[in-house]
Structures are given as C-alpha cells and as structure tokens.
Amino acid sequence: MNLKAFNLLILVSSLLLVTSCSQSPVFKEHGTVYKIGDQEAWASKNWNDQNWKGRITQMQAGQVFWSRTQIDILNTPEPLRPYGLRLEVYGEYEVFWDGVLIGKNGNPGQEAELPPEGKLWTTFGIPTHLSDAGKHVLALRTSLLYFPDHTKIHELDIDYYDDLFSDDLVENAYMHIYAGAFLIVSLYFLFLFLSNRQAYSTLIFSICCFLVFALTLTVFSKEYIPMHYSLHVIRLQILSSFLLGISFLIPFYFSMQFPYPKRKPLLIVYAGILIMVFLVKHQAFDFTAVSMGLGMWIYSFGIVSFGAYNNARGARLTLLTLLLTLVIYFVTSFVISLYAGLGLILLSMLYLLTLQRKSERLAYENSLVQSTRLRLELLKKNIQPHFLMNTLTSLMDWVEESPKKGVLFIEALAKEFDLFNQIEDRTLIPIAQEIELCRTHLEIMEYRKEVSYIWEQEGIDPNEKIPPAILHTLLENGITHSLPLEDNAIRFKLVFESNSDYKTYTFLTFAASVNKATNNNEEGTGIKYIKARLTESYGSKWKFTSKATDDGWKNEIMIYS
C-alpha cells in the first residue's frame, strides 16, 4: 500500500477531529433534581421541586423515580424544522416535555416482569408549539433494575431534529474511514510480519493499529447497533480492554526502537500499574480511560526523550509529535484528543518503522554486495596462479612416474572444483558437504606434497549448516604453516559441541611445529574471509579465536543462538 497516502489520510482525519466543532448551542441546561416515588403530577412544568435532591443515594432495584431538568431554549426553531432531544440515560423511562409525554423508552416500573426494551441512546422530537424560546422542563419517569446507582443523565443534547441524525451520520462516516484505514494498515503489516517472523516491531505496530480500529468501531457503532442499558457496562469493559492493550503496546514499541537501561523490569512495573487501574476502577470508565491515556503518554515521553538524548534516529520528530498530542489534549475534549492523539502517535510509529525498514533494506543490499564479493573471493582462492601452477607441476610428475595415481590426482582435483562450483553462490551449506570438500583437498595435497594428512572428527551433526569454505580455509592455513610430524603426517581434528546458548566448532591442527608468524595482529586474507562469511550468516552472534598450542594450532568458532 502507499504509506504516504495513509500518512496523509490519518493526518487529515486527526486535524478534522481537532478542528471540528458543533453549531452554536440552542439551549442551556440547568441542574437536575431527583425524587423517588411515582406521581403523574411531577411531570408538570410548574410543579414545585424545591425539596427535590440533587442526587439519589439509595434506591431499590427496579423502583420508579423521577428527574426534572430546567432548560432554557435560546432560539425559537425555524419553520418546518422542529427541535429534537437526544438522551443517554441508564434505565427504561418515559419522557415529558413541559408536562406532555413526547416519548417512551422501555417499560419503567415493569422491568422485572417484562423483557428488556429500549435503547441506551434515544432521540425524541419536541413538539413545535412547546419549543419556543424561554424556560422549559424536561421530566423523566425512570426505573433502574440493573444499575440502581446510575441515576444520572449522562448525555442531554437539543438541536434540530434532522441535524441530530445527520451530524451523527457525518461523524460516524469520518470515524469509520479513520478506523478502516487502521484496519488496512494492520492487515498489511501483519502480512509483512508473516513473511519475516523476526520483525516483532512490525507485529506490535500491526496489533496497535488493529486495537485502534476495534476501539473506534466499538465506540461509534452505537448509531446502528441498538443496545439496552443493561449491556452498557460490558461494552465499557471491552473498550477498557482495548485501551489497556493500546496503552501498553505503544510504549513497548517505543522501547524496542529506543532501548534504555533496565527495560524489562520497568515494563513489568508499568504493566502492573495498568492492570491495577483496569481491575480496581474498571466500572469508572472515564477515570480508567484518562489514567491509561496519560500513563501511556508519560511513559512514552520518557522513552522517546531518552532516545532523543542519545541522538537515536527519528526520536526528535517522535518527541515533537508527543508534545503536539499534549497540546491537543489541553485545547480539546478528551474524546477528540484521544483519537487525534492516537492517530498522530501511530503516524510517528509508522515513521520509525519506515526508518527501520530502510536500514534493513540498505543492510540487505550491502549483504548482497558482500555476498558477491565473498563468492569472487572464494573463486579466487581456488584458481590463484601459484595453486594452479604447483598443482599442475605435481600432476605432470605423477603422470610421468605413475599414470594410475596421476588419474586419481586428476579425479580429486576435478572433484574439488566441482564442489566449489556447487557452493560458491550459497550462504550456508551442510557440514557434511564442507567436510567432503576438506577431505578432497587433503587428498590433492597428499599428491602434491607427499605428506600423509589425517582427518578426524567428533560429535558432528550432519543436519547442521555452516558458511561455505570456512573450514576449508582453516585447513589450508594448517597445511601452509605446519610441518609434518616424525612419521611424515599432519593430523586435523574437527570437534562439534552445542547447547541451548551456542554451538562450537573446534578445528585442531597437530603438527611438529607451527610458523609463529601467523600469530601476529595483522589478519591474513583467509581470516578476513572467515569473519566476513560469519558476519554475513550470523550478524554479530559469533566469535572466532585462533591461537598456537603446544601440539600445533587451535581455531574455535562459536555461534550464539
């Protein structure tokens, strides 16, 4: 997908969230008062509610209670455009406007006998003749079977009836586009991870995008998925779970990009704090959401600040993005700042991921160049002029003295070149193929130098793989810099050991004496070739040592898991 287009889409969506504002309000809401009981006269506009209480402290489940809210209509509605009333209220209730019943949501007082009815978010039309500018009274006759302590009116909005629906449709359209963009990106980076299972930062970013998609879709699906108030707490707990995942994974992602001291214990402590907030205050959704959001920002800010202090790539731009989200938080509502902030933070995460993928691509291209150079070096090692001249000279002697052995010499030489042809363009080869190459080379050198070369091996696992010709190179060094024993023999031994942390190849040369000149600080071409091959295959997860011993020479290659 075009990541630049996605960046632009999320940036525009975030700016729309920040800059969006509603029309001038058409009403002013005064305090709401409550009273337990059930009298039809309490719906009257002129009822004296001076003795009613500002809150209800104790109430039996399913008991009927009334609430009255004084409302000032600031402007008389336009002709043919009546006002509407939108409510978010726990319970089943009847709605009275200036004493007139204008709607019903469920069966107040009968919840225990009848199945659940009504929706948590409802819209009612206000009669035109009751919506002139001036003072009005909204009265609700309500019962709460499931949550008797949630008597508060959570949302009250008055606007033109058509606008209450159209504004929500427009808002939902934008937010679903916003959510859909994150779903597409989540799936894209999930497939990228599946193609490279070691790219864990890609997986974390994909999960973060999916959680933002799920959070947005769950919040803004209320317009077309009816929900009874008894299910609302479950919905809030689902939203809290999404926020819990987002609040942990975003700092975790930054910690992967900008490593810092004691990373693991600090992440464990941070996760413990998030879980404690989630479990202890899981019913207070506003507190939980704000606490998790601020915790995520503070921890992320600390990690990115550490990265900026150490001049890590992308850290400063990410730090500016986090500061921008803080400004948005202070100048807008929490809901707007949450989605705009998440959009901007994920953009910064995508930027860091782009930098990482660029570095990986450059490293891959460099590895291709390195691999090509190594193949040429391997080829050069085996067609170098002095090797060919010496070998051909020895071959001429053997053909003259013993044609049968000369034929065997030719066959061994052809076999070695054939093996080199098989492995020259490969990064790793089976250890058995490498050992066969070494044995063939010893066979050639026996004809050339008329020295008995003995090959021994211990603990070899035929399923293991190794970069091509590195043991062959060690073998060549052993032949070049060693003198035969008294029995005119040089012995080579390869020992393989492994455990859960590393694998070790120990290559021993047993000879009468060893040329100490090879033990200087300057590396020869063969050692450089070995180290380059190990780096190509294992990165930095290897160690190579080479030193003289009393019996000859010892080379050790350790490959870490």
Side-chain angles (χ1 to χ4, degrees), residues 108-214:
Q110 297 179 290
E111 291 184 78
E113 294 81 19
L114 299 176
E117 291 188 26
K119 299 182 294 182
L120 180 58
W121 298 277
T122 52
T123 304
F124 306 95
I126 301 176
T128 304
H129 67 281
L130 297 178
S131 56
D132 293 335
K135 296 186 179 297
H136 300 270
V137 173
L138 169 67
L140 300 181
R141 176 178 177 264
T142 311
S143 66
L144 277 169
L145 178 64
Y146 297 97
F147 307 107
D149 56 338
H150 286 60
T151 57
K152 179 182 177 182
I153 297 177
H154 294 274
E155 180 183 343
L156 190 159
D157 188 24
I158 298 175
D159 204 342
Y160 288 104
Y161 188 78
D162 293 338
D163 290 347
L164 288 175
F165 289 101
S166 61
D167 290 348
D168 283 341
L169 288 175
V170 171
E171 180 185 39
N172 270 267
Y174 278 121
M175 294 309 299
H176 278 66
I177 293 173
Y178 177 87
F182 283 112
L183 176 62
I184 294 172
V185 173
S186 172
L187 294 175
Y188 174 77
F189 281 95
L190 175 62
F191 292 140
L192 283 183
F193 169 75
L194 294 177
S195 66
N196 180 12
R197 300 294 180 89
Q198 301 301 318
Y200 294 109
S201 58
T202 302
L203 176 63
I204 298 301
F205 180 73
S206 173
I207 296 174
C208 286
C209 289
F210 181 80
L211 289 176
V212 172
F213 156 76

Side-chain angles (χ1 to χ4, degrees), residues 4-132:
K4 291 184 177 179
F6 170 73
N7 290 350
L8 181 62
L9 174 62
I10 300 303
L11 182 59
V12 171
S13 300
S14 301
L15 291 176
L16 286 173
L17 285 170
V18 175
T19 58
S20 63
C21 58
S22 59
Q23 298 177 354
S24 300
V26 300
F27 77 105
K28 180 180 179 181
E29 178 185 356
H30 298 278
T32 301
V33 292
Y34 303 87
K35 187 176 180 64
I36 297 175
D38 190 13
Q39 294 187 31
E40 185 177 349
W42 291 351
S44 173
K45 179 180 180 180
N46 299 319
W47 181 264
N48 184 1
D49 54 18
Q50 294 296 321
N51 295 326
W52 288 34
K53 298 180 180 180
R55 56 178 296 186
I56 297 177
T57 56
Q58 292 183 348
M59 185 181 65
Q60 296 180 0
Q63 187 176 7
V64 173
F65 69 96
W66 283 71
S67 64
R68 289 171 57 88
T69 306
Q70 299 289 331
I71 295 176
D72 293 341
I73 298 294
L74 303 179
N75 302 303
T76 301
E78 299 175 5
L80 303 179
R81 295 192 67 197
Y83 283 147
L85 172 69
R86 166 155 294 185
L87 291 171
E88 179 187 336
V89 177
Y90 278 73
E92 299 186 14
Y93 53 87
E94 296 172 346
V95 183
F96 297 87
W97 183 266
D98 289 346
V100 177
L101 179 66
I102 63 171
K104 185 177 181 182
N105 186 49
N107 304 287
Q110 297 179 290
E111 291 184 78
E113 294 81 19
L114 299 176
E117 291 188 26
K119 299 182 294 182
L120 180 58
W121 298 277
T122 52
T123 304
F124 306 95
I126 301 176
T128 304
H129 67 281
L130 297 178
S131 56
D132 293 335

Side-chain angles (χ1 to χ4, degrees), residues 329-400:
Y329 173 75
F330 282 115
V331 299
T332 62
S333 67
F334 174 74
V335 174
I336 292 178
S337 65
L338 176 65
Y339 292 106
L342 286 176
L344 292 173
I345 289 174
L346 286 173
L347 273 180
S348 67
M349 294 168 63
L350 180 59
Y351 170 70
L352 295 175
L353 199 60
T354 302
L355 292 179
Q356 179 183 343
R357 291 184 62 81
K358 180 180 179 181
S359 298
E360 291 174 352
R361 178 175 55 81
L362 291 176
Y364 175 71
E365 291 174 354
N366 290 335
S367 70
L368 291 180
V369 174
Q370 176 78 343
S371 181
T372 302
R373 187 184 69 81
L374 290 174
R375 288 199 297 270
L376 293 175
E377 183 69 27
L378 180 61
L379 182 62
K380 185 178 71 173
K381 275 167 52 63
N382 295 279
I383 62 173
Q384 51 187 313
H386 77 269
F387 173 79
L388 287 178
M389 290 299 296
N390 293 337
T391 301
L392 291 175
T393 300
S394 299
L395 179 59
M396 292 170 60
D397 294 339
W398 278 109
V399 169
E400 292 178 356

Side-chain angles (χ1 to χ4, degrees), residues 446-465:
E446 282 188 355
Y447 285 112
R448 274 189 51 185
K449 296 195 173 186
E450 298 186 36
V451 174
S452 177
Y453 294 104
I454 302 170
W455 176 271
E456 298 176 354
Q457 59 190 50
E458 179 181 322
I460 301 301
D461 183 354
N463 297 320
E464 290 291 330
K465 291 188 176 183

